[in-house]
Amino acid sequence: MANVVVVGAQWGDEGKGKIVDWLSHRADLVARFQGGHNAGHTLVVDGTTYKLSLLPSGVVRGKTSLIGNGVVIDPWAFAKELERLKGQGVKPTPETLVIAENAALILPVHRDLDELRESRDDGMTIGTTRRGIGPAYEDKVGRRAIRVIDLADEEFLTNRVNDLLHHHNALRRGYGREEYDPAELVAALMEIAPSILPFVGPVWKKLDQAVRCDQKILFEGAQGVWLDVDHGTYPYVTSSNTVAGQAAAGSGVGPRDLSFVLGIAKAYTTRVGEGPFPTELSDDIGHKLGERGNEFGTVTGRQRRCGWFDAVMVKQAVTTTGIDGVALTKLDVLDGFTELKVCVGYKLGGKRIRRFPVSRVDQEALQPVYETFEGWDGSTKGARSWADLPANAVKYVRRIEELIGCQVSLLSTSPEREDVILMKDPFRGR
Ligand code: GDP
Ligand code: IMO
Ligand code: MG
């Protein structure tokens, strides 16, 4: 049996939460390995909606859930999410939910800095979720971060906070903002510490035990390959590596324990925030996709930008993250369109190219080249077998497989947990 890594193949919000929840039925453990509460993963179970940001989607089924060292953790957001889920009857315990001791914290200084940078009016913003994700990762790499385990020792924590604020207060002075008082921050951290410390433990060891016992691990990625800090549309990206390789570094397993990478792709494309988007539709069709797909962000409520499926980008994601099979989601949103388009290449300066260029200037100048498809009569909504799909919907999926050079392992046809068509079980391996 294989361990499965789930990653988004576009710009996030591909439906990872639904697919992870569906697959977690077959898994023993579910682990997050990057990102933080910038993620918004929605699950619908028998009409009840669960929204997860920091906690792995496996918590809803009561699976052992791990938050790896690669995740950045806002302890206040963690406590709030836990409370909210308890209200819905989901009650993780320190036995079923473990947070890595060596994960870095997101603090109010990070949120403030994210907010300050994003409030510029010179058109140079990223359109972040303003959760402090970027600044927290900056401090981690800058070796100034407060880590989860530091909350267990007030004296050590005080030293770390002094070091951190030495840096941040200089920045705040530059921005003309009031400085942070180290004693106040330490007091606030000591107050929240009891909410998080009971859940803290060696995640790498839990995973090692699971591997040795031949248990099945599901690694839940956040964001998507095109938001990866290296492989994405830099600088319009998040501040972590979102590619599947990060599942190993961000949780403490070796790469040989990642046996199948499942890339999640929407049957069209969306993006939240700024940045290039070659197939974006600002017309009625884009509007219709947004309405039918209910494309509003889970985290910020922002309207998502919509456009046609971009086979060039997904194909490139298949390569850069190493996708073994794709879960194609939201096919039902395309019901009722008379005509559909898929981007199969770009024109740049009169030349045809088949890869997404790195230069931002080139990215903005790309003209998509489309292949046109006839839409389908009838509905795919809620379909649970191939036989239920209209012939043109099958053609659309088969052509996407050809264009991206990768098999569709799963197809999702509604937000509901069980509305999935399984072609190839990722837990059976490549
Ligand atoms: P994630 O961030 O990748 O987990 O995706 P989000 O949860 O942010 O966004 C996906 C949205 O689409 C959620 O509201 C899901 O409930 C919904 N969804 C997932 N799969 C399907 C599907 O196959 N069809 C439809 N119509 N909605 C879906
Ligand atoms: P899930 O896991 C879609 C986007 C933000 C912004 C950029 C940087 O639900 O797919 P950040 O706050 O991370 O510094 O913002 O990344 N972004 C997402 N877009 N889905 C997400 O997560 C996202 N997480 C961050 O909109 O453009
Ligand atoms: Mg989301």
Side-chain angles (χ1 to χ4, degrees):
M1 279 293 174
N3 297 320
V4 176
V5 185
V6 167
V7 290
Q10 292 154 324
W11 279 295
D13 301 326
E14 299 91 348
K16 298 177 291 295
K18 166 175 170 168
I19 300 296
V20 168
D21 168 64
W22 189 84
L23 283 173
S24 69
H25 168 59
R26 294 151 195 253
D28 297 294
L29 300 93
V30 182
R32 281 276 307 265
F33 55 88
Q34 48 71 229
H37 67 309
N38 50 348
H41 299 172
T42 314
L43 286 55
V44 185
V45 183
D46 296 331
T48 303
T49 301
Y50 300 88
K51 289 177 188 284
L52 300 157
S53 281
L54 185 56
L55 300 187
S57 298
V59 293
V60 176
R61 288 195 195 259
K63 294 286 168 175
T64 299
S65 298
L66 308 173
I67 300 182
N69 55 277
V71 176
V72 279
I73 298 166
D74 178 328
W76 293 275
F78 168 76
K80 226 162 128 183
E81 189 167 327
L82 210 56
E83 252 343 274
R84 183 165 49 76
L85 283 170
K86 274 187 191 161
Q88 291 193 287
V90 177
K91 296 178 178 153
T93 65
E95 278 68 51
T96 60
L97 174 65
V98 184
I99 301 175
E101 301 156 303
N102 49 345
L105 294 182
I106 302 180
L107 302 173
V109 283
H110 300 128
R111 241 180 297 135
D112 284 0
L113 188 56
D114 203 352
E115 190 85 44
L116 268 170
R117 288 173 177 164
E118 286 294 304
S119 305
R120 291 163 65 167
D121 54 11
D122 56 2
M124 299 297 283
T125 55
I126 304 292
T128 72
T129 59
R130 303 189 178 206
R131 297 291 190 269
I133 305 290
Y137 276 119
E138 287 168 31
D139 280 346
K140 174 178 172 171
V141 178
R143 295 164 293 194
R144 291 179 296 271
I146 312 289
R147 306 209 291 180
V148 178
I149 197 65
D150 301 343
L151 297 174
D153 183 327
E154 188 169 354
E155 195 182 325
F156 185 71
L157 178 69
T158 306
N159 287 335
R160 297 298 294 156
V161 166
N162 282 333
D163 180 49
L164 181 76
L165 291 186
H166 180 72
H167 172 80
H168 275 276
N169 279 337
L171 272 178
R172 291 183 69 84
R173 283 194 294 277
Y175 275 109
R177 302 287 150 149
E178 204 181 315
E179 292 186 28
Y180 265 94
D181 174 9
E184 258 178 45
L185 182 52
V186 170
L189 284 169
M190 290 313 290
E191 193 187 337
I192 195 72
S195 307
I196 187 166
L197 283 175
F199 295 94
V200 173
V203 162
W204 64 272
K205 201 154 185 243
K206 282 252 169 205
L207 288 167
D208 182 50
Q209 279 160 356
V211 168
R212 285 168 195 276
C213 297
D214 215 16
Q215 289 189 313
K216 293 190 286 290
I217 308 165
L218 183 55
F219 293 92
E220 178 179 8
Q223 291 83 52
V225 169
W226 287 99
L227 288 171
D228 182 282
V229 68
D230 288 295
H231 299 284
T233 44
Y234 192 90
Y236 301 102
V237 292
T238 192
S239 298
S240 64
N241 282 113
T242 58
V243 289
Q246 177 63 17
S251 69
V253 301
R256 71 169 174 271
D257 293 322
L258 314 176
S259 17
F260 190 96
V261 178
L262 183 69
I264 318 294
K266 246 178 229 190
Y268 49 101
T269 312
T270 64
R271 165 160 218 175
V272 207
E274 308 301 323
F277 183 172
T279 64
E280 182 170 16
L281 298 164
S282 350
D283 56 7
D284 286 352
I285 299 173
H287 192 71
K288 188 171 162 188
L289 282 171
E291 292 244 298
R292 290 190 47 92
N294 192 22
E295 296 297 352
F296 292 92
T298 315
V299 174
T300 55
R302 285 178 295 174
Q303 199 168 347
R304 296 174 184 150
R305 299 155 65 192
C306 297
W308 294 122
F309 187 85
D310 189 333
V312 183
M313 295 193 79
V314 174
K315 184 174 190 195
Q316 198 162 318
V318 165
T319 305
T320 55
T321 199
I323 294 174
D324 298 303
V326 163
L328 193 69
T329 62
K330 303 190 92 161
L331 186 68
D332 55 295
V333 173
L334 301 181
D335 288 354
F337 280 83
T338 44
E339 190 180 87
L340 301 168
K341 290 186 182 180
V342 167
C343 173
V344 296
Y346 307 113
K347 275 201 181 136
L348 179 68
K351 280 198 190 135
R352 178 96 181 244
I353 59 167
R354 288 177 195 278
R355 72 179 172 91
F356 198 82
V358 168
S359 150
R360 228 165 101 196
V361 179
D362 289 349
Q363 288 176 1
E364 298 291 353
L366 291 177
Q367 293 296 322
V369 177
Y370 288 117
E371 195 168 299
T372 304
F373 297 75
E374 233 179 85
W376 48 86
D377 292 325
S379 165
T380 64
K381 195 173 173 63
R384 292 187 187 181
S385 84
W386 265 113
D388 295 340
L389 298 178
N392 280 352
V394 172
K395 265 193 205 162
Y396 183 76
V397 176
R398 290 302 186 210
R399 182 65 182 137
I400 281 181
E401 285 182 318
E402 277 173 12
L403 289 168
I404 64 174
C406 186
Q407 211 184 1
V408 170
S409 303
L410 287 131
L411 204 60
S412 169
T413 56
S414 102
E416 267 290 343
R417 176 184 267 177
E418 294 302 335
D419 290 339
V420 169
I421 303 172
L422 175 66
M423 268 80 88
K424 186 168 185 266
D425 183 354
F427 281 114
R428 294 200 170 276
R430 288 182 196 129

